[in-house]
Amino acid sequence: MNCDFVLTTCPYCGCGCNFYLQVIDGKAVGVVPCKTHPVSKGTLCIKGWNAHQFVHDEKRLTKPLIKKSGRFEEVSWDEALDYTAKRMLEIKEKTGPDSFGFLSSAKCTNEENYLLMKLSRGVMGTNNVDHCARL
Amino acid sequence: MSNNGFQPKLLAFCCNWCSYAGADLAGVSRLQMPHNLRVIRVMCSGRVSPEWVIKALSSGMDGVMVLGCHIGDCHYIDGNHRTKKRFAILAKLLGTMGINPNRLYLDWVSASEGVKFQDVVIKFVDRIKELGPTPIGAYQGVKVDR
Amino acid sequence: MIDKVRQLVVDLLDSGRADAVLALANVHANVQPYLYKKGDSLDSLALWPKYSMGPILKSIQAAQPDMKLAVVARGCDDRALVELAKRGQIDLNNVQIIGLACTADEATECECANPYPANIDVGNKVDGVASTDLLAELKGKSYDDRLIFWKQAFDKCIKCYGCRNACPLCICEECILEDDSWVKAGEIPPPFPIFHLIRAYHLSDKCVECGECQNSCPMDIPLTSLYALIRNEFNELFDYIPGAEIDRKSPLVTSLEEDPIREETA
Amino acid sequence: MAGLVASFGSGAMTNSIDEFEDADCILITGSNTTENHPLIANRILRAQEKGAKVIVIDPRKTQIGDLADIYARQNLGSDVAWLNGLINVIISEGWYDKEFVSGRTEGFEELKAKVADYTPDKIEQISGIPAATIKQIAEAYAKAENGSIVYCMGITQHISGTDNVMSLANLAMVTGNVGKRSTGVNPLRGQNNVQGACDLGALPNVFTGYQAVINDELRAKFEKAWGVKLDGKVGQTIMEMMNNAHDGKLAGMYVMAENPMLSDPDINHVREALENLDFLVVQDIFMTETAQLADVVLPGTTYAEKDGTITNTDRTVQRCRKAIEPIGDSKPDWEILALLGQKMGISNFDYNSPEDVYKEIMAVTPIYAGISYERIENETLHWPCPTADHPGTLFLHSGTFSRGLGALKSIDYREPAEMPDNDYPMQLTTGRMMFHFHTGTMTRNSPALHKEVKESYVEVNPSDAKEQGIVEDEKISIASRRGQIEAKARITNKVGRGVVFIPFHFVEGAANVLTNPALDPVAKIPEYKVCAVKVEKI
């Protein structure tokens, strides 16, 4: 049996509280506030205390999906990414880079925002990239 | 604050075997009593969870009575032993939080004690009239701008 | 002190008397609970700030009931483990307790009156904190002033349930505080005083004086003081300290003959 | 953010979270702080405990308003008016910081002339805040040694959002309340990594670290780093993309972990826009309302299944650590993007870990250059932190503003885009609440949170409710020019007369069916916080 406590940043508001996800045999079973963290100091709000709950929700998406004749079908990662790359490059070719837009996310990491931004600017060739800071 | 004309809202939990029968006797005997009391019959005073009392007081009741069989007469042997202990600590908790424990009243009334029932009710109503309306009432319902 | 704990942990693991030891570790420059196993380096071992060990031990036992566990336990942990065992939440037969006495500074920070476990393996027994300015002030207040004090304190409550979540003895499977028919759901602050009075009643025969409710309160509500008052009152009535004696049931579930009310006998 | 950039030269919280504890006056506006930033509310209340005055100006009397020393309810969208009014009182009473104004700002005489029109009586008329209260607030804030301003979306989500922010900056500068410890202007960021998304250049006008795409030198730097040619014109904002999609001028979109079908104003318009695209990719953890419209759905992971960094509202870069393996065949979002980049034929998208990516970020981003994975294991670092031995920056604008002199902007009050009229006589304002988050993707799938609030609701003032015969928990209809929804009534004095509030987290009873997409001309933020509605019994 393995029981680990993994220090991480709360996925909700911008305060930046940290907590430990308690992981028993590969499953996130609970949240323990981090007492030494400079922002949260051992406390959390109700969202933080329950931040493990949606992780294992059975409604999570687990397979790449492509809509074929109006219905989603499960496909392999290779198929999903090949198809996505092909369609994006086709659009770039046909109607130009600025006919495509990227919506990044304040719920993703810095690294992920950087990569989406780089994909937009460096690969598609458009500055049409934004996120919901305004919303 | 003047309590003239203040009619307290009171709740009484009466056990099925003794005190509810005592209340019944008081009624049948046409003993006069104030009308401030709403009575809830329970099978045993031991069935009265302190949470119920907390809920009643938090909801704006001015006082709560719990009446059961005399110690030793409990239909369930020691149900009222637990009642007595729970309400001893509950009274302390109320006081700690700032609710006068005199708003809570525990006593034993047997099926034959119609007169005692009348007596404890009159005394409790007087006691609460003396204390005035529950301060919790001001904290209930729609909040008003300060 | 920490070296002695380290040695005890190593001995237990190396000798096979324990499969794992629940303690604290310094990782990523923060202190966290940690389940040490044989072969783990104990350089990271830490003692403070304390974390509540009871609930973690309970979750580990639930996942693997036959595991031979040891736990580094302070006074409050020790009492929590006893109280949890008494209430069927954990099995102490499989658990070895490494009793750690708190230092005077630690006791002061926790406002703890009993800063030591029943059996001390490491550290020296120091005097607890008998009272605080706030406790004295609260005792001296009239009912009306107390009500105002707590009303103002609980006006800050954001209903995080941290007091409940962090409490080692909040063990109900379904929490009445989450039941809309008792406490109206979705309101901040939660309705006063029902939320806090129900919790206070539920903990009146269980509170082991760990202070985790206040430690986990993001609004700095002085819960440690509230529960100190409640523990004193319970003890005055029933001569009973939760977590002190494993063979003694809560007086709230016994008859008057078994456990009389003290005020009456006096 | 645009407002703070114009006034100070950079747009982020000027102070760090712990500093609030030592402020002696904290003015909070447009922020439901205890519910939406609890740990910042904690510091504010600690300051109050130590004697600081807490002032809350908000159309809703939320918990922090209840706890405040002074609370004032302003009419929706009247912020420039009352802020000008405060500044007017402060200048005419001589409470302003003459030294700070002359040494560190420009535009004072123009501002003084502008605000002279905003007399307390006029303010009372426009904003509904009593003249006496304006005076009381002006005195408390101006005379504070360490005055801090805290604001959130209640200030920015207006057509005058940028004006509102610049007016707050005016107030701070006129009183010298900026550039010191515990003293400044602090926008609270609503999501855990809004700050990071901005910092990392997920904006149409800047690369990482606010390096402008129109700057040839900076663009050349990125061209060299990435080995590609880059476009030098500013791109489209999300609202512009949606409008272009609607008009057939945008062919495709890639949406990562966002749900514009709930979060954007005028949802019916968004639906038409997204349906009009030739190709839509959505990368998310649940089948959101937006994902349902996609051609390809890519399963990303939650925070629990990935490594990376997050930058919180006070500019601290912190770690997110992988705790469990990805669920099913889902992949961390960084990995999906790296794989897709490679599939699109780009060689430098070959990353083995988030730390690989992060090292590249450090190399091209001066404000992050000194913040490494290694350092943040042991240190709390707030950007800007340009070098490996730099201690990070707790508070900004000490000694000088990012732009040199602070710009005092003379601004006139403008009415919200849509005012009540005979057809739509009431006003709607929207926002968040404690128990849910953004579009509910995470919180509505968390039983403990769902239990607290299961469905949408609308807050109605008791007098309005009485007039229309509406009772608690009754389902009522709320309609605007853009759509109609139904929600249960909560009767409360939190909202003033003529105003209703709806949280925007719920797909059934979605507030953003009603909201007005009118934009702030600079920041392009929609006016979520005011629109005209009618409220009726069903």
Side-chain angles (χ1 to χ4, degrees):
Chain A
M1 205 255 337
N2 280 309
C3 172
D4 296 315
F5 296 86
V6 182
L7 183 64
T8 196
T9 305
C10 178
Y12 290 113
C13 82
C15 288
C17 301
N18 275 26
F19 56 69
Y20 294 97
L21 270 174
Q22 188 185 3
V23 180
I24 291 188
D25 292 335
K27 204 171 170 216
V29 297
V31 163
V32 177
C34 174
K35 297 206 174 193
T36 44
H37 187 261
V39 174
S40 40
K41 301 182 181 177
T43 75
L44 290 171
C45 77
I46 186 171
K47 291 191 286 290
W49 271 109
N50 294 288
H52 62 293
Q53 288 195 339
F54 68 91
V55 170
H56 294 281
D57 192 282
E58 57 186 24
K59 295 190 289 298
R60 278 279 303 273
L61 294 169
T62 56
K63 298 264 186 206
L65 305 168
I66 294 182
K67 206 178 263 169
K68 296 178 180 169
S69 43
R71 294 190 51 176
F72 282 118
E73 282 182 23
E74 289 186 359
V75 296
S76 71
W77 271 107
D78 263 337
E79 185 180 343
L81 293 172
D82 282 334
Y83 178 69
T84 303
K86 184 176 127 241
R87 291 290 305 269
M88 286 170 70
L89 291 171
E90 273 170 14
I91 289 174
K92 182 182 179 183
E93 186 73 18
K94 214 168 102 194
T95 44
D98 289 337
S99 67
F100 202 89
F102 290 81
L103 191 47
S104 196
S105 177
K107 296 174 204 88
C108 288
T109 62
N110 288 332
E111 291 77 1
E112 288 158 353
N113 275 283
Y114 178 79
L115 288 182
L116 193 80
M117 186 274 300
K118 187 175 175 186
L119 195 67
S120 170
R121 295 191 159 115
V123 182
M124 277 303 270
T126 178
N127 286 317
N128 292 346
V129 56
D130 200 2
H131 72 283
C132 71
R134 299 160 213 278
L135 308 181
Chain B
M1 181 172 48
S2 155
N3 290 329
N4 287 347
F6 163 57
Q7 287 299 335
K9 279 182 292 178
L10 305 174
L11 199 61
F13 294 100
C14 295
C15 91
N16 179 62
W17 306 102
C18 296
S19 49
Y20 196 82
D24 223 22
L25 179 62
V28 172
S29 315
R30 309 205 168 214
L31 300 176
Q32 290 298 307
M33 271 178 290
H35 57 269
N36 306 68
L37 207 62
R38 291 143 177 87
V39 177
I40 295 175
R41 175 163 60 164
V42 290
M43 290 309 286
C44 175
S45 62
R47 179 64 188 91
V48 182
S49 305
E51 291 95 325
W52 299 1
V53 177
I54 293 170
K55 174 90 177 170
L57 291 172
S58 297
S59 307
M61 280 287 166
D62 297 300
V64 177
M65 298 175 87
V66 179
L67 303 176
C69 305
H70 287 269
I71 297 291
D73 292 350
C74 178
H75 193 82
Y76 308 98
I77 302 166
D78 58 4
N80 54 3
H81 291 216
R82 296 180 183 205
T83 316
K84 186 164 184 184
K85 293 180 176 189
R86 288 174 190 165
F87 285 84
I89 185 66
L90 178 63
K92 297 280 187 188
L93 290 183
L94 294 176
T96 303
M97 196 67 92
I99 300 166
N100 192 321
N102 286 335
R103 294 186 183 278
L104 180 63
Y105 183 71
L106 174 68
D107 208 343
W108 316 128
V109 175
S110 77
S112 61
E113 292 176 317
V115 174
K116 181 172 182 190
F117 184 84
Q118 179 198 34
D119 186 50
V120 296
V121 169
I122 290 171
K123 281 190 177 140
F124 189 56
V125 171
D126 285 346
R127 176 157 116 186
I128 300 297
K129 279 187 176 172
E130 188 82 10
L131 285 175
T134 170
I136 302 296
Y139 302 139
Q140 294 304 303
V142 175
K143 275 202 204 107
V144 230
D145 283 354
R146 275 183 193 167
Chain C
M1 211 149 81
I2 194 161
D3 287 330
K4 189 163 177 204
V5 178
R6 230 176 239 132
Q7 196 51 52
L8 288 170
V9 174
V10 169
D11 289 349
L12 282 168
L13 289 173
D14 285 355
S15 66
R17 280 183 291 139
D19 300 326
V21 181
L22 180 59
L24 301 178
N26 200 322
V27 184
H28 311 304
N30 284 288
V31 173
Q32 63 166 74
Y34 196 89
L35 191 62
Y36 284 98
K37 294 192 177 157
K38 193 171 176 176
D40 287 351
S41 160
L42 280 151
D43 292 349
S44 62
L45 187 85
L47 301 178
W48 186 263
K50 75 187 180 79
Y51 279 77
S52 190
M53 296 304 201
I56 297 170
L57 188 125
K58 180 177 157 185
S59 66
I60 293 170
Q61 275 198 343
Q64 193 174 336
D66 59 346
M67 194 179 221
K68 282 186 288 178
L69 279 170
V71 54
V72 177
R74 292 170 181 275
C76 51
D77 291 318
D78 188 47
R79 293 187 290 273
L81 292 170
V82 165
E83 204 57 30
L84 284 169
K86 209 193 278 183
R87 292 166 189 274
Q89 302 293 308
I90 58 169
D91 178 7
L92 276 185
N93 291 319
N94 247 342
V95 176
Q96 299 179 66
I97 294 174
I98 303 173
L100 174 66
C102 296
T103 64
D105 286 347
E106 289 164 354
T108 306
E109 191 173 329
C110 290
E111 298 172 13
C112 180
N114 299 290
Y116 38 82
N119 297 303
I120 299 174
D121 296 299
V122 183
N124 297 312
K125 184 170 168 174
V126 298
D127 285 342
V129 177
S131 187
T132 64
D133 292 350
L134 180 58
L135 282 176
E137 182 194 328
L138 284 168
K139 281 181 188 157
K141 279 184 191 296
S142 69
Y143 291 128
D144 284 351
D145 287 347
R146 274 186 211 169
L147 192 66
I148 289 166
F149 176 88
W150 290 115
K151 165 71 176 143
Q152 283 175 348
F154 288 123
D155 269 349
K156 296 182 182 177
C157 176
I158 57 169
K159 212 184 186 191
C160 67
Y161 292 98
C163 48
R164 180 204 65 182
N165 296 344
C167 178
L169 270 307
C170 259
I171 50 175
C172 298
E173 278 178 25
E174 297 268 321
C175 178
I176 181 173
L177 302 178
E178 288 183 87
D179 182 340
D180 185 56
S181 53
W182 288 98
V183 178
K184 192 169 190 307
E187 278 191 1
I188 288 180
F192 175 84
I194 186 165
F195 185 98
H196 309 285
L197 258 182
I198 288 183
R199 218 187 95 74
Y201 172 68
H202 283 194
L203 268 301
S204 64
D205 65 339
K206 300 188 190 74
C207 176
V208 292
E209 201 182 359
C210 68
E212 289 300 316
C213 46
Q214 182 169 322
N215 290 342
S216 68
C217 179
M219 293 294 134
D220 300 326
I221 299 168
L223 293 164
T224 303
S225 302
L226 178 64
Y227 285 92
L229 294 169
I230 292 169
R231 262 193 326 275
N232 285 341
E233 280 154 359
F234 200 88
N235 194 22
E236 274 170 22
L237 284 173
F238 301 111
D239 189 18
Y240 181 85
I241 296 170
E245 300 158 83
I246 195 150
D247 299 324
R248 186 164 166 212
K249 283 186 186 166
S250 162
L252 294 185
V253 299
T254 57
S255 71
L256 285 164
E257 288 85 37
E258 291 165 275
D259 274 301
I261 299 179
R262 219 158 41 160
E263 268 180 350
E264 268 193 350
T265 51
Chain D
M1 290 312 105
L4 280 192
V5 173
S7 298
F8 297 157
S10 92
M13 263 175 81
T14 59
N15 300 80
S16 61
I17 290 173
D18 268 348
E19 290 173 53
F20 287 123
E21 217 175 307
D22 297 315
D24 56 359
C25 179
I26 300 170
L27 187 152
I28 304 168
T29 181
S31 156
N32 180 358
T33 327
T34 58
E35 291 196 49
N36 294 333
H37 294 92
L39 269 294
I40 290 174
N42 162 278
R43 304 307 198 276
I44 292 170
L45 295 174
R46 282 185 181 180
Q48 188 184 36
E49 201 75 14
K50 293 193 215 167
K53 269 214 160 48
V54 175
I55 302 165
V56 174
I57 299 132
D58 203 286
R60 288 174 74 220
K61 195 175 188 196
T62 54
Q63 188 179 24
I64 193 77
D66 256 328
L67 297 168
D69 299 286
I70 306 174
Y71 167 77
R73 190 196 297 287
Q74 83 276 40
N75 294 330
L76 298 183
S78 66
D79 303 294
V80 170
W82 64 261
L83 281 162
N84 276 349
L86 282 184
I87 297 168
N88 184 22
V89 171
I90 287 166
I91 294 175
S92 50
E93 295 284 343
W95 294 333
Y96 67 103
D97 186 334
K98 290 153 195 101
E99 198 181 323
F100 192 93
V101 165
S102 61
R104 293 203 47 191
T105 68
E106 57 191 17
F108 180 71
E109 288 307 321
E110 295 87 330
L111 177 67
K112 184 177 171 185
K114 174 66 72 187
V115 299
D117 293 345
Y118 291 81
T119 59
D121 290 337
K122 186 175 168 186
I123 301 315
E124 180 161 348
Q125 217 179 351
I126 299 174
S127 72
I129 305 175
T133 309
I134 287 283
K135 234 174 154 164
Q136 198 189 357
I137 295 170
E139 183 163 12
Y141 178 74
K143 291 187 173 173
E145 193 62 37
N146 297 106
S148 263
I149 293 173
V150 170
Y151 71 91
C152 197
M153 297 304 208
I155 279 295
T156 54
Q157 290 177 341
H158 291 278
I159 55 160
S160 58
T162 304
D163 288 350
N164 292 347
V165 173
M166 292 191 297
S167 300
L168 286 169
N170 284 347
L171 177 65
M173 287 190 283
V174 163
T175 52
N177 274 323
V178 66
K180 286 185 291 181
R181 220 186 124 70
S182 305
T183 310
V185 183
N186 294 288
L188 307 183
R189 315 310 301 259
Q191 304 195 40
N192 78 339
N193 204 26
V194 186
Q195 190 62 53
C198 292
D199 296 350
L200 272 298
L203 293 169
N205 58 334
V206 287
F207 296 108
T208 63
Y210 309 96
Q211 303 175 80
V213 296
I214 56 167
N215 182 314
D216 294 339
E217 213 173 297
L218 293 170
R219 204 168 59 251
K221 178 174 100 175
F222 279 87
E223 284 178 343
K224 192 168 163 226
W226 293 350
V228 290
K229 192 92 190 91
L230 294 171
D231 185 31
K233 64 175 186 308
V234 170
Q236 298 163 19
T237 63
I238 168 169
M239 300 303 297
E240 288 164 337
M241 288 187 232
M242 286 299 169
N243 287 337
N244 284 333
H246 193 262
D247 299 345
K249 286 187 273 186
L250 200 72
M253 270 187 93
Y254 194 110
V255 178
M256 175 170 79
E258 283 296 339
N259 190 8
M261 281 291 294
L262 258 193
S263 63
D264 290 21
D266 196 355
I267 289 171
N268 294 329
H269 177 87
V270 175
R271 173 185 294 279
E272 287 162 17
L274 294 177
E275 284 176 347
N276 209 17
L277 291 169
D278 292 339
F279 186 56
L280 173 63
V281 186
V282 174
Q283 184 174 317
D284 213 318
I285 56 170
F286 286 108
M287 183 55 81
T288 63
E289 293 72 24
T290 306
Q292 283 165 15
L293 303 177
D295 297 284
V296 178
V297 176
L298 302 173
T301 67
T302 68
Y303 72 103
E305 301 147 77
K306 58 169 97 160
D307 282 310
T309 58
I310 305 277
T311 305
N312 79 346
T313 190
D314 77 354
R315 300 171 276 106
T316 312
V317 181
Q318 306 194 89
R319 280 296 310 278
C320 167
R321 291 187 184 82
K322 180 176 165 178
I324 58 167
E325 289 302 317
I327 303 287
D329 279 346
S330 64
K331 285 183 192 295
D333 298 82
W334 67 268
E335 195 180 333
I336 299 173
L337 296 170
L339 290 171
L340 182 62
Q342 289 169 43
K343 294 268 189 199
M344 290 177 79
I346 303 300
S347 58
N348 60 4
F349 254 77
D350 189 12
Y351 302 98
N352 290 317
S353 70
E355 192 172 1
D356 267 4
V357 183
Y358 190 83
K359 283 179 177 155
E360 186 174 316
I361 295 172
M362 286 171 70
V364 295
T365 315
I367 57 173
Y368 276 55
I371 306 177
S372 63
Y373 270 44
E374 206 180 349
R375 278 188 81 188
I376 59 177
E377 278 291 295
N378 298 311
E379 287 177 83
T380 303
L381 293 173
H382 307 255
W383 67 253
C385 179
T387 57
D389 54 3
H390 190 282
T393 309
L394 279 180
F395 55 90
L396 303 177
H397 314 305
S398 169
T400 177
F401 286 102
S402 310
R403 74 181 289 280
L405 288 177
L408 293 168
K409 303 277 187 181
S410 304
I411 301 158
D412 263 318
Y413 160 72
R414 286 178 294 145
E415 270 189 357
E418 193 179 63
M419 291 297 273
D421 56 20
N422 286 335
D423 295 336
Y424 297 92
M426 307 243 324
Q427 287 184 300
L428 165 71
T429 191
T430 65
R432 297 181 179 192
M433 64 154 129
M434 183 85 229
F435 304 104
H436 288 287
F437 184 73
H438 216 60
T439 66
T441 311
M442 299 185 283
T443 54
R444 297 196 76 199
N445 288 308
S446 301
L449 301 171
H450 176 71
K451 206 182 267 179
E452 290 291 335
V453 180
K454 297 190 171 78
E455 56 184 337
S456 190
Y457 59 84
V458 50
E459 289 180 358
V460 185
N461 182 275
S463 305
D464 292 328
K466 198 170 167 194
E467 220 163 68
Q468 301 210 44
I470 295 165
V471 296
E472 181 82 7
D473 280 342
E474 176 181 350
K475 204 153 216 188
I476 58 173
S477 154
I478 310 99
S480 77
R481 286 185 173 81
R482 291 153 295 278
Q484 182 263 340
I485 62 164
E486 291 173 4
K488 277 189 178 171
R490 274 199 191 180
I491 297 169
T492 167
N493 269 321
K494 267 189 191 169
V495 289
R497 284 216 68 173
V499 174
V500 293
F501 166 85
I502 305 176
F504 75 93
H505 313 289
F506 301 91
V507 61
E508 19 4 293
N512 284 328
V513 166
L514 308 171
T515 47
N516 188 356
L519 295 183
D520 176 290
V522 184
K524 307 286 165 74
I525 297 177
E527 190 153 63
Y528 287 108
K529 297 298 185 198
V530 201
C531 74
V533 291
K534 66 179 165 201
V535 173
E536 287 171 323
K537 281 175 80 85
I538 299 171

